[in-house]
Amino acid sequence: MRALRKTLAVAGAALLLLLAGAAPAMALSAHPDVKIQITSRSEYPDGGVEISFRIQNTGGSGLTVTRVALSGANGNSTIELVDNAAAAHTVIATPADLAAGGSLYGEAVVYYNSAAVSVDAYISDNATEYRNISQQLSFGATDEDSGDDAGFVITSTPGTGNPLYYSGANGLISGNPGEVVNVQLKLRLNDNTGWKSVESIRVEPQLSTDVASWPFEIMQNNYAVYPSFANGEAIVNYQFTISQKAAAGSYALGFDIHYTAKNRTAEQVIDDQITLYAKVLKDGNQVDGVEEEVSGSTPKLIISGYEISPEKVYAGDSFTMGLTFRNTSSMTIRNLTISITNSDAENSYAMPAENGSNTIYIDSIPANSSVSRSLKMLVRPDAPAKPNMMVIEMDYENAEAASFSSTEHITIPIAQAIRLRIGELSLDDSYIVPYMPVYAGLSVINMGKSSVYNLMATVAGDNVALSEDYYVGTLSAGNQTSIDLELLSEQAGEAAGEIVLSYEDEYGELFEERIPFDYTIQEEMIEEFPDGGEWEEEMPSGLPLGAKLGIGAAGAAALIVTLIALRKRAKRKRQRELEEDE
């Protein structure tokens, strides 16, 4: 009904403008259930760029894509929907149905003049037309040295329905093998979505050991970053070293974004992703699969891979670190000594396990070969819950006994075991009738050494519901909170269910605790009269004194029950305030 009133209001405004002799100028809003994602791109020799895209309906109702278009491209560009399942990518004519939870796919060939280009999809729900805009393709200038496009980035823009969008602050990402490039992600709040703030942001690049997909050296196990959100934005900075094996060309860099969007009445956990493009300007020094060795150069030794088992290491536990060392040069490396230490020398949270060592010795590694070793480590019980940086120092010699050294870093994701003490459930079930609130309360104490996040209480069960979910948020180590709930039941009889406490650790892993309960709802007492009459203001004089006293006693009893319930609730509230003051 609200959507119909909105449609009638817009139509009425347009009619008034037409009657006044002016054409209505109105920007179409984005449909909240539609997302447009750029999925791939490739360059044409004539300067064009071919892109593939996906239009997804995340809602529960079918929609129609009336047409697709390109904004910012020149007249030689083309765009069309295609059958993604067909090998030849058969063209799909518009308008095309976009089923609930379904997707449509498309392709475009873009020609540009240093312009910003986006894919526009016009959506209809048979009552209103919408315009959704894809991530923006910002094309860069020509690089004078390479004679080719220096690279571009893809940025998401407001109006796509995502609470956060990438503002494109980093600009172009380009460099040569061996160089360090800076990648900055500036995430801004989209005011068009109705969400007022975000929290618990986690950003993580989509790594790959295939250099054709990820052109940078992987130097640590966990690249997840948890930026703070302030003044309407969050900023994430990465530094990546371009691999010596990377070939010249453009690379798609995917980043996963996980966060919680909130407004006054609701919150929603959202998983999204953005894509940046980087340009490697020149080929690495790999020739026919063999590293080109320059006379007098340093033999290059790298950590080509490592594995932590288990993947999440808890404070006080031991773990196994597996390392693979690769000699990338064309000469043999000898007398290799590897020392593993903490980057923070004053707080060495990871150390060799009992009877273990933090040093590895390898006699030799042939040219273009790899050797794997493992060692057992132990984490101190007081280690904080965060990634712990380890320093890998490698000393080695060549065939002429000349000494060389190199250093690399890896990260150990350390977690603290969550220890929540949940108090006994207090249930005020002395007298319950349908729709009368049942007050339930319990305390939660965080006895662990790290915070828990997004602590929330909900209810699951039969003939029971909450008047509203109870959100606590962050519960720091050593702190406690009280949770007071109002349970409601619609029918007389038995009500059984569970209080569900959900929360996350510092890495975003979700946990649950369930507290069972049950109570009985009585039939509501309603006095009926044979003749359908009502109570008179005065009691009939003919009633015996005992009857009059009985009626008065029943009313007094009901009043006492109500007063007792209110008194218990006030006492509970006062007790909670005293605990918080302490």
Side-chain angles (χ1 to χ4, degrees):
M1 182 61 71
R2 184 179 302 172
L4 179 59
R5 287 199 298 267
K6 182 178 179 182
T7 304
L8 292 175
V10 172
L15 180 59
L16 289 175
L17 286 172
L18 289 173
L19 292 175
M26 188 180 308
L28 297 177
S29 62
H31 195 287
D33 295 333
V34 174
K35 295 176 63 175
I36 306 177
Q37 179 187 3
I38 306 297
T39 57
S40 67
R41 53 88 67 184
S42 59
E43 298 180 1
Y44 282 2
D46 62 355
V49 177
E50 180 180 306
I51 63 172
S52 299
F53 59 91
R54 176 189 181 190
I55 306 173
Q56 184 181 10
N57 180 2
T58 63
S61 301
L63 300 169
T64 302
V65 177
T66 57
R67 64 188 178 96
V68 290
L70 290 170
S71 293
N74 67 29
N76 295 323
S77 303
T78 61
I79 184 170
E80 57 194 8
L81 296 177
V82 297
D83 181 4
N84 193 59
H89 282 199
T90 307
V91 175
I92 297 176
T94 53
D97 292 335
L98 182 57
S103 299
L104 288 174
Y105 299 85
E107 293 179 345
V109 178
V110 180
Y111 292 90
Y112 58 93
N113 297 313
S114 297
V117 179
S118 64
V119 174
D120 299 354
Y122 291 82
I123 311 296
S124 173
D125 62 2
N126 296 325
T128 305
E129 186 177 25
Y130 303 85
R131 178 184 178 220
N132 285 72
I133 305 172
S134 78
Q135 296 170 316
Q136 188 182 78
L137 290 74
S138 300
F139 294 85
T142 300
D143 182 78
E144 295 179 358
D145 295 331
S146 65
D148 195 4
D149 173 43
F152 63 85
V153 298
I154 288 184
T155 67
S156 60
T157 57
T160 61
N162 298 327
L164 285 182
Y165 68 96
Y166 171 60
S167 69
N170 188 81
L172 302 177
I173 305 169
S174 62
N176 292 308
E179 294 180 348
V180 176
V181 296
N182 297 312
V183 178
Q184 184 182 85
L185 287 76
K186 183 175 287 188
L187 306 172
R188 293 184 180 274
L189 181 64
N190 184 354
D191 294 330
N192 299 330
T193 61
W195 299 106
K196 300 303 180 183
S197 65
V198 297
E199 62 181 31
S200 303
I201 304 173
R202 184 177 76 246
V203 179
E204 191 168 8
Q206 299 171 356
L207 304 178
S208 173
T209 55
D210 183 4
V211 73
S213 300
W214 183 259
F216 305 119
E217 299 281 0
I218 299 178
M219 305 179 69
Q220 56 193 65
N221 186 49
N222 188 350
Y223 280 85
V225 176
Y226 301 83
S228 59
F229 186 78
N231 300 321
E233 68 178 17
I235 298 176
V236 177
N237 290 295
Y238 283 106
Q239 282 191 332
F240 297 119
T241 301
I242 300 178
S243 172
Q244 292 286 357
K245 300 178 183 180
S250 296
Y251 295 81
L253 312 178
F255 292 83
D256 294 324
I257 315 293
H258 174 91
Y259 56 93
T260 300
K262 301 179 68 176
N263 58 29
R264 284 187 175 183
T265 60
E267 65 178 54
Q268 181 179 349
V269 176
I270 295 175
D271 289 297
D272 203 352
Q273 67 175 20
I274 62 174
T275 305
L276 299 153
Y277 278 90
K279 185 91 169 186
V280 177
L281 302 178
K282 297 178 182 179
D283 283 326
N285 57 358
Q286 185 120 1
V287 179
D288 295 332
V290 178
E291 191 81 13
E292 183 181 10
E293 194 68 42
V294 180
S295 177
S297 65
T298 301
K300 183 69 173 177
L301 177 67
I302 65 171
I303 297 177
S304 59
Y306 74 98
E307 182 178 0
I308 305 299
S309 179
E311 292 183 359
K312 182 186 288 187
V313 182
Y314 286 93
D317 290 351
S318 60
F319 66 95
T320 300
M321 178 191 301
L323 299 167
T324 299
F325 304 94
R326 180 168 180 79
N327 177 7
T328 64
S329 65
S330 58
M331 62 180 71
T332 299
I333 289 176
R334 305 181 186 280
N335 295 327
L336 172 60
T337 302
I338 302 106
S339 297
I340 302 171
T341 58
N342 291 261
S343 60
D344 185 355
E346 296 182 359
N347 297 296
S348 299
Y349 294 114
M351 62 194 73
E354 185 177 359
N355 299 324
S357 172
N358 66 334
T359 302
I360 299 173
Y361 176 79
I362 299 175
D363 180 64
S364 64
I365 302 179
N368 296 302
S369 299
S370 299
V371 172
S372 297
R373 293 288 188 272
S374 63
L375 69 163
K376 198 165 186 178
M377 306 285 288
L378 178 68
V379 180
R380 280 170 38 184
D382 62 340
K386 65 178 184 178
N388 185 66
M389 184 74 72
M390 306 294 293
V391 181
I392 315 296
E393 296 179 339
M394 299 174 288
D395 298 307
Y396 51 96
E397 300 174 351
N398 62 9
E400 287 76 30
S403 298
F404 303 92
S405 64
S406 63
T407 302
E408 296 207 28
H409 300 79
I410 63 174
T411 300
I412 310 299
I414 297 178
Q416 278 282 349
I418 294 177
R419 296 176 58 207
L420 291 187
R421 180 177 179 181
I422 301 173
E424 184 178 355
L425 179 64
S426 173
L427 200 64
D428 186 5
D429 58 352
S430 56
Y431 176 73
I432 309 170
V433 296
Y435 300 102
M436 174 183 288
V438 178
Y439 300 106
L442 52 85
S443 62
V444 180
I445 304 174
N446 185 357
M447 301 179 64
K449 297 180 180 179
S450 63
S451 299
V452 296
Y453 304 90
N454 293 325
L455 176 61
M456 176 184 290
T458 58
V459 68
D462 297 328
N463 193 25
V464 63
L466 282 181
S467 58
E468 60 179 350
D469 292 344
Y470 194 98
Y471 182 76
V472 176
T474 301
L475 183 60
S476 302
N479 287 353
Q480 70 176 11
T481 187
S482 296
I483 296 177
D484 287 333
L485 307 173
E486 291 187 359
L487 307 177
L488 297 174
S489 298
E490 297 181 354
Q491 301 175 354
E494 296 297 322
E498 296 174 317
I499 304 296
V500 182
L501 295 181
S502 61
Y503 51 91
E504 298 175 359
D505 66 4
E506 56 278 342
Y507 294 100
E509 183 176 354
L510 182 65
F511 298 85
E512 281 189 355
E513 304 284 348
R514 292 176 174 263
I515 303 94
F517 66 87
D518 62 81
Y519 56 83
T520 302
I521 305 97
Q522 302 178 22
E523 293 284 354
E524 188 172 5
M525 302 298 294
I526 301 176
E527 187 70 27
E528 297 182 357
F529 299 92
D531 58 356
E534 299 178 351
W535 286 107
E536 297 180 2
E537 294 183 359
E538 297 183 359
M539 293 185 184
S541 59
L543 284 176
L545 177 59
K548 294 180 181 181
L549 293 176
I551 294 173
L559 177 59
I560 290 171
V561 169
T562 304
L563 290 175
I564 290 174
L566 292 175
R567 184 178 179 184
K568 287 183 178 179
R569 183 180 184 185
K571 183 178 179 182
R572 239 187 350 263
K573 182 178 180 181
R574 178 59 180 165
Q575 182 65 29
R576 186 172 66 255
E577 291 174 348
L578 291 174
E579 292 173 354
E580 292 174 353
D581 290 339
E582 293 175 357

